[in-house]
Amino acid sequence: MIDKRFADPSAAVRDIGDGATLMVGGFGEAGSPVELIDALIEQGAGDLTVITNNAGSGTTGLAALIKAGRVAKMICSYPRSADSEVFAEQYRAGRIRLELVPQGTLAERIRTAGAGIPAFYTPTAVGTSLAQGKPHRRFDDRECVLEHALGADVALIKAAAADRHGNLVYSKTARNFAPLMATAAETTIAQTSVVVGLGSLDPEAVVTPGIFVDRVVLIGRSPQRLDPSGSETGWL
Amino acid sequence: MIDKRFADPSAAVRDIGDGATLMVGGFGEAGSPVELIDALIEQGAGDLTVITNNAGSGTTGLAALIKAGRVAKMICSYPRSADSEVFAEQYRAGRIRLELVPQGTLAERIRTAGAGIPAFYTPTAVGTSLAQGKPHRRFDDRECVLEHALGADVALIKAAAADRHGNLVYSKTARNFAPLMATAAETTIAQTSVVVGLGSLDPEAVVTPGIFVDRVVLIGRSPQRLDPSGSETGWL
Amino acid sequence: MTTRTPQGLDRREIARWVARDIPDGAYVNLGIGMPETIAECIAEDKEVILHTENGLLGMGPPPPPGEEDTELINAGKQPVTAAPGASFFHHADSFAMIRGGHLDICVLGALEVAANGDLANWSTGAAHAVPAVGGAMDLVSGVKAVYVMTRHCTRAGEPKLVNECRYPLTGRGVVDRVYTDLAVIEITPQGLAVLELAPGVTLADVAERTAAPLHDKRSTRRESHPDGNSAPSERSGIP
Amino acid sequence: MTTRTPQGLDRREIARWVARDIPDGAYVNLGIGMPETIAECIAEDKEVILHTENGLLGMGPPPPPGEEDTELINAGKQPVTAAPGASFFHHADSFAMIRGGHLDICVLGALEVAANGDLANWSTGAAHAVPAVGGAMDLVSGVKAVYVMTRHCTRAGEPKLVNECRYPLTGRGVVDRVYTDLAVIEITPQGLAVLELAPGVTLADVAERTAAPLHDKRSTRRESHPDGNSAPSERSGIP
């Protein structure tokens, strides 16, 4: 019997250790797994490396994790926010390191980590400071740079719906990096506000097959949200 | 106004020239664009390079194209069939060349061609004859081989439904290589038995966004299959 | 040399200029900031498909107030809608569209554009600034035609069109065309070439505010107007 | 040395042996041919998710006669069904699962297995044979545990377990365990090690039919039966 549901966010993030490398889904606030991050702040793990697109907005979620001093390094494409100075302050103070990666290269590095491809060549960033010091090679007269796969210990993502196998669907542009991160982390933890019975998700429309997901956490909904047509016996 | 619909298979394949490199979707018969291939046989183009997983079964479709002597070279993973000797006969007679590629490497080479990635490293096939003569490199103590992107002039694929923008969905395991090939060919031609009105496909469940598709051909159905709720004015 | 200050176009007029040159059926990515204005300037009789790199093809206009969805945003993190025929996808698929050369046009802002097409638009290189690149390097390396939409000069009056960029580069030799408040300028093997001038603006006005040599490639000497659909035919296709 | 011919297990009994060792909750790919039999031997109280590389996770049993769907097939191109919780995906995603190490076990057939774990199962190298590799090289390089299910000897009576493969390799040092009609054999740093014998089969029987040295790693000297759920605990997890 496969049942990946966890009782609450705290239980799902309990074993994340100091020094872990963490992927965090979301583009801005769309798809940000806020409740999982809040649980991680409470849990206390520090010295984290965080792979994500932005560096937090406002004062909750990732911004709060950074403000709490838990993040030693960020790997991201756009750590600038109109509504948050948290990352900028720590970065200027030298308390947080930054590896800046072009957004498409970041996405592909994560995807290849999940796909067992250790490195790939891309034309992106050739001739810029972000390609300096990396191996280059020409293909069909086009100069390219070698980029390496980027995996993580844990991925925290947000889905629109899940089943007990960990199959996931997403909501609109909240999908963004989540399906990639799910494949690239040793342990993938998905929060969702809807858990449906096995067989309720259309097999043609599942975006993340359950094989990539280890833990499913239902957020802020009561057990009656479970699809009655499914085979579920109720929420854990 | 974007309308990628073509009146019939003949019109859609008319400009495929001798010597073209062709991708053909399908795994066995599932997803095989038989009507497009039939139209291509009638059209007459020869000296083709065909990228596909198998090498035809039975006596129709790809097997018929090979039997007609139109294929100079196959790039595929499994050109053996219980129910067809067509490829084997031509191969043994030296009338057709074969580049054998492991199935996952074939899929990734096609995907990377569509994604603008000229080459990637993979552990697949290292230590075997299929990796001989290719550049090798170690990553984290794992020996890998460099594989190159594989694009084509034309892709012939089969979808379950389409709209006039070329958005596609597929049926079950008939999906296989089609979404990859759609991204990797200069001209992608999709046959389907259902064309729906724009907006009828669920944006969350579209598998191939229309940007990857150039021509949509409705096969064997009458115009009334067009979704009346859509904005279509009728079949071309 | 004249010392008068030409009026030039406002932001919306530049956007209309760009919109006029986007052909029917094009797949287009509009960068954050000024280029976002272009969307609402595209003529009703054209079907242009907008891509936003955070995972949507077929971006529609902003929703009416009160109907914003925090999970339906564009790359600038502003609420948008999904047009009929839209599709959602993840970031690797989105950048496969970009890097793989499937988009026809992207329009980006700029700090500087050099006469050889080099673009600097992601960092001033200032010591304490937080660097942020987003998808700009992917867009310039992958999209078929890269257009820049920018004021011709900085607020301090410094030319943005230069012989060589001083700021960190986004890409080398990547820009095809620049739309400013003063002119439409093409990057050619010979350098910057003026295709068109804003109403009331002279070639001398532009040359004076450009820190690189300018060629004159105007197909007619008449000044054209951004409202017209009178783009010379050799410029109506995608380069 | 004895000259008697041990009976050994039939195809279905070997399949039951493999099925017994697949843990509840495992993600498994079953190769074309003999390994396909394993699916129907998995105990009812286990939930094992079957992957077929042509784009289905959650493969169910064959459909009833007359309900076959030509667009719902497995890698052997036989009609199958989709179990509750199944998902369909394209080939690049399917092989991301394989190459990326997300599958727990694959079970493949073999022409030869060497004492160092080398596997040959795709080509006899014969001049006029049509070579066909399919997904075998991807599976052996990516799946966490690679099991082989095969007759111990060829039809001509030649050992398939050898010191060195003569046929073209599918992968080097990739096999973890071999299930034959005579024994369960593990590939160890010291070479082939017998974990278990089929009923009525002796270590000598196996050694006689194996062209490489054999170690004895049976945890109990009692012969075990493929029907039992009595696998020693150190073997019940995924290596």
Side-chain angles (χ1 to χ4, degrees):
Chain A
M1 168 82 171
I2 297 175
D3 194 340
K4 299 180 177 175
R5 296 177 300 174
F6 269 60
D8 56 56
S10 302
V13 304
R14 188 166 294 151
D15 54 357
I16 299 177
D18 287 347
T21 296
L22 207 67
M23 287 174 170
V24 179
F27 184 92
E29 287 178 70
S32 176
V34 175
E35 284 80 359
L36 288 175
I37 299 171
D38 285 347
L40 184 62
I41 293 171
E42 196 174 325
Q43 186 255 36
D47 195 26
L48 301 169
T49 294
V50 174
I51 300 164
T52 188
N53 190 61
N54 306 108
S57 55
T59 54
T60 59
L62 191 52
L65 186 73
I66 294 170
K67 195 172 179 72
R70 306 291 174 69
V71 182
K73 182 180 180 185
M74 296 284 303
I75 303 176
C76 62
S77 91
Y78 205 85
R80 203 186 282 157
S81 170
D83 67 346
S84 178
E85 273 290 298
V86 173
F87 173 81
E89 282 162 14
Q90 299 225 5
Y91 176 75
R92 290 193 195 102
R95 286 198 298 270
I96 194 165
R97 285 171 293 137
L98 170 65
E99 179 181 344
L100 195 71
V101 183
Q103 198 169 146
T105 299
L106 182 64
E108 193 66 16
R109 288 181 65 192
I110 296 170
R111 181 193 170 276
T112 50
I117 291 169
F120 61 94
Y121 284 97
T122 173
T124 297
V126 165
T128 79
S129 57
L130 297 190
Q132 271 172 19
K134 296 178 178 177
H136 283 61
R137 186 167 167 152
R138 286 189 91 77
F139 296 91
D140 290 337
D141 253 14
R142 185 111 199 254
E143 189 78 4
C144 290
V145 60
L146 186 69
E147 291 284 355
H148 288 72
L150 182 63
D153 299 310
V154 180
L156 305 181
I157 62 174
K158 181 182 180 181
D163 63 24
R164 67 173 169 83
H165 279 193
N167 291 303
L168 305 179
V169 295
Y170 301 90
S171 169
K172 309 183 184 80
T173 56
R175 185 183 305 196
N176 57 71
F177 283 88
L180 311 172
M181 291 176 171
T183 71
E186 284 299 313
T187 302
T188 292
I189 309 174
Q191 70 168 64
T192 180
S193 52
V194 180
V195 173
V196 299
L198 200 67
S200 296
L201 296 175
D202 177 1
E204 300 279 12
V206 167
V207 176
T208 294
I211 192 172
F212 296 123
V213 177
D214 301 284
R215 304 174 187 177
V216 170
V217 185
L218 184 66
I219 301 291
R221 300 295 172 106
S222 51
Q224 59 265 32
R225 289 290 298 211
L226 292 176
D227 189 310
S229 72
S231 57
E232 307 303 286
T233 55
W235 180 249
L236 284 181
Chain B
M1 168 80 169
I2 297 174
D3 194 339
K4 299 180 178 177
R5 296 176 301 174
F6 269 61
D8 57 55
S10 302
V13 305
R14 188 166 294 151
D15 54 358
I16 298 176
D18 287 347
T21 296
L22 208 66
M23 286 175 172
V24 179
F27 183 93
E29 287 179 70
S32 176
V34 175
E35 283 81 359
L36 288 175
I37 299 171
D38 285 349
L40 184 62
I41 293 170
E42 196 172 326
Q43 185 255 37
D47 195 25
L48 301 169
T49 294
V50 174
I51 300 165
T52 188
N53 190 61
N54 306 107
S57 54
T59 54
T60 59
L62 190 52
L65 187 73
I66 294 170
K67 196 172 178 69
R70 306 290 174 69
V71 182
K73 182 180 178 185
M74 295 284 303
I75 302 177
C76 62
S77 91
Y78 206 86
R80 202 186 282 155
S81 170
D83 68 345
S84 178
E85 273 290 297
V86 172
F87 173 82
E89 282 162 15
Q90 299 225 6
Y91 177 74
R92 290 195 195 101
R95 284 198 299 270
I96 194 165
R97 284 170 295 137
L98 170 65
E99 178 181 343
L100 195 70
V101 183
Q103 198 169 141
T105 299
L106 182 64
E108 193 66 18
R109 288 180 65 191
I110 297 169
R111 181 193 169 276
T112 49
I117 291 169
F120 62 94
Y121 283 97
T122 174
T124 297
V126 166
T128 78
S129 59
L130 296 190
Q132 271 171 19
K134 296 179 178 175
H136 284 61
R137 184 167 169 154
R138 287 187 91 76
F139 296 91
D140 290 337
D141 253 15
R142 186 113 199 252
E143 190 78 3
C144 290
V145 59
L146 186 69
E147 292 284 355
H148 288 70
L150 183 63
D153 299 312
V154 181
L156 306 181
I157 61 175
K158 180 182 180 183
D163 63 24
R164 67 173 168 83
H165 279 192
N167 290 303
L168 305 179
V169 293
Y170 302 91
S171 170
K172 309 185 185 80
T173 56
R175 187 184 301 197
N176 57 72
F177 283 88
L180 310 172
M181 291 175 170
T183 72
E186 285 298 314
T187 302
T188 292
I189 309 174
Q191 70 168 65
T192 180
S193 52
V194 180
V195 173
V196 300
L198 200 66
S200 296
L201 296 175
D202 177 2
E204 300 279 11
V206 167
V207 176
T208 294
I211 192 171
F212 296 123
V213 177
D214 301 285
R215 303 173 188 178
V216 170
V217 186
L218 185 66
I219 301 291
R221 301 295 171 105
S222 52
Q224 59 265 34
R225 287 290 298 209
L226 290 176
D227 189 312
S229 72
S231 57
E232 308 302 286
T233 54
W235 182 249
L236 284 180
Chain C
M1 185 180 285
T2 169
T3 53
R4 84 193 176 87
T5 301
Q7 167 104 41
L9 304 180
D10 65 20
R11 178 194 180 102
R12 195 177 173 80
E13 288 169 322
I14 310 174
R16 287 214 298 270
W17 232 356
V18 184
R20 181 203 60 188
D21 289 353
I22 295 176
D24 188 24
Y27 290 90
V28 178
N29 181 295
L30 301 176
I32 300 173
M34 239 170 131
E36 288 183 67
T37 323
I38 297 164
E40 57 205 79
C41 299
I42 294 167
E44 297 268 326
D45 62 346
K46 285 187 197 171
E47 196 171 24
V48 169
I49 311 249
L50 299 179
H51 171 266
T52 180
E53 59 263 39
N54 53 319
L56 168 60
L57 189 71
M59 186 177 76
E67 292 183 27
E68 295 88 355
D69 180 342
T70 56
E71 301 196 324
L72 183 44
I73 59 175
N74 66 11
K77 300 177 182 81
Q78 300 304 308
V80 296
T81 52
S87 53
F88 296 107
F89 33 80
H90 61 55
H91 253 77
D93 283 349
S94 185
F95 281 82
M97 292 178 194
I98 292 171
R99 198 192 305 100
H102 303 282
L103 288 167
D104 296 309
I105 298 171
C106 68
V107 189
L108 300 170
L111 292 167
E112 292 173 323
V113 177
N116 64 356
D118 287 358
L119 173 67
N121 79 343
W122 70 282
S123 167
T124 58
H128 278 277
V130 174
V133 67
M137 289 184 181
D138 307 281
L139 285 160
V140 299
S141 75
V143 177
K144 288 179 200 158
V146 175
Y147 293 175
V148 163
M149 174 179 173
T150 179
R151 310 298 307 178
H152 205 88
C153 296
T154 67
R155 272 175 210 163
E158 294 286 317
K160 289 183 153 200
L161 289 150
V162 296
N163 265 318
E164 198 174 337
C165 294
R166 295 163 306 161
Y167 293 131
L169 292 185
T170 307
R172 289 190 191 274
V174 294
V175 176
D176 294 288
R177 200 182 287 176
V178 184
Y179 291 82
T180 79
D181 45 327
L182 303 184
V184 181
I185 292 171
E186 195 172 63
I187 312 294
T188 72
Q190 290 75 42
L192 304 177
V194 174
L195 294 180
E196 223 169 321
L197 293 170
V201 173
T202 67
L203 201 60
D205 291 333
V206 179
E208 195 180 338
R209 288 160 182 81
T210 302
L214 277 184
H215 303 272
D216 188 2
K217 253 187 87 174
R218 287 174 296 165
S219 50
T220 73
R221 292 289 156 167
R222 284 184 303 115
E223 285 161 5
S224 59
H225 194 277
D227 274 343
N229 274 307
S230 57
S233 63
E234 78 264 35
R235 294 184 39 237
S236 63
I238 298 159
Chain D
M1 186 179 280
T2 167
T3 53
R4 81 194 178 88
T5 300
Q7 168 105 38
L9 304 179
D10 66 19
R11 177 194 181 105
R12 195 177 174 79
E13 287 169 322
I14 309 175
R16 286 214 299 269
W17 232 356
V18 183
R20 181 202 62 187
D21 290 353
I22 295 176
D24 188 25
Y27 290 90
V28 178
N29 181 293
L30 301 176
I32 300 173
M34 240 172 130
E36 288 183 69
T37 323
I38 296 165
E40 57 205 77
C41 299
I42 293 167
E44 296 268 325
D45 62 347
K46 285 187 198 170
E47 196 172 24
V48 169
I49 311 247
L50 298 179
H51 171 265
T52 180
E53 60 263 38
N54 54 318
L56 168 59
L57 188 72
M59 184 176 77
E67 292 182 27
E68 295 87 356
D69 180 342
T70 56
E71 301 196 324
L72 181 45
I73 60 174
N74 66 11
K77 300 177 182 82
Q78 300 306 308
V80 295
T81 53
S87 53
F88 296 106
F89 34 81
H90 61 53
H91 254 77
D93 283 349
S94 185
F95 280 82
M97 292 178 194
I98 292 171
R99 198 191 306 101
H102 303 282
L103 289 167
D104 297 308
I105 298 170
C106 70
V107 188
L108 300 170
L111 293 166
E112 290 174 322
V113 177
N116 65 356
D118 287 359
L119 172 68
N121 80 344
W122 70 282
S123 168
T124 58
H128 278 278
V130 174
V133 67
M137 289 184 181
D138 307 281
L139 285 160
V140 300
S141 76
V143 177
K144 288 180 200 157
V146 175
Y147 292 175
V148 163
M149 175 179 171
T150 179
R151 309 299 305 180
H152 205 88
C153 296
T154 66
R155 274 178 208 161
E158 295 286 318
K160 289 183 151 198
L161 289 148
V162 296
N163 264 319
E164 199 173 339
C165 294
R166 295 162 306 164
Y167 293 131
L169 293 186
T170 308
R172 289 192 191 273
V174 294
V175 176
D176 294 288
R177 202 182 285 177
V178 184
Y179 292 82
T180 79
D181 46 329
L182 303 184
V184 181
I185 292 171
E186 195 173 63
I187 312 293
T188 73
Q190 290 74 41
L192 305 178
V194 174
L195 294 181
E196 223 170 322
L197 293 170
V201 173
T202 67
L203 201 60
D205 290 335
V206 180
E208 195 179 340
R209 288 159 182 83
T210 303
L214 276 185
H215 302 272
D216 188 1
K217 251 186 87 174
R218 287 175 295 166
S219 50
T220 71
R221 292 288 156 168
R222 284 183 302 115
E223 286 161 2
S224 59
H225 194 277
D227 273 343
N229 273 307
S230 58
S233 62
E234 77 263 37
R235 293 184 42 234
S236 62
I238 299 158

